[in-house]
Amino acid sequence: MSEKTAKKLGWAGTCMSILMYVAYIAQIMSNLDGNKGSFIQPLAATINCTLWVTYGFCKKDRDYPIICANVPGILFGLGAVITSF
């Protein structure tokens, strides 16, 4: 696979990850409406995304697709956790 193709694939995966975590907005809105959901899955996603963002920053050549793909997971996952209580 060429470097150009790998880069495009990485950014496509980044976009899909962001869309996946944006889906937490519906759970957050439901939580705020009083229909509380479980905090376990969003908490696991928040921890997972935090680890991946840390990994992306710690690499010698920062891995921006990994960082960008997982920052929304931290924000939206944490939002879903906080609103579930």
Side-chain angles (χ1 to χ4, degrees):
M1 178 182 309
S2 73
E3 181 70 26
K4 187 176 179 180
T5 301
K7 194 169 199 164
K8 286 180 182 180
L9 186 60
W11 283 109
T14 296
C15 291
M16 293 307 299
S17 290
I18 290 169
L19 290 173
M20 178 177 63
Y21 294 122
V22 166
Y24 277 127
I25 292 173
Q27 181 177 350
I28 293 168
M29 298 303 293
S30 183
N31 288 342
L32 292 172
D33 286 340
N35 303 314
K36 305 291 184 179
S38 174
F39 70 92
I40 295 170
Q41 197 280 333
L43 178 61
T46 302
I47 293 167
N48 180 53
C49 291
T50 301
L51 292 170
W52 279 111
V53 167
T54 302
Y55 167 80
F57 273 118
C58 288
K59 287 184 70 174
K60 182 180 178 186
D61 295 326
R62 293 205 167 123
D63 195 332
Y64 290 106
I66 287 178
I67 294 167
C68 292
N70 286 284
V71 166
I74 295 170
L75 300 175
F76 290 118
L78 194 56
V81 170
I82 290 169
T83 60
S84 69
F85 292 107

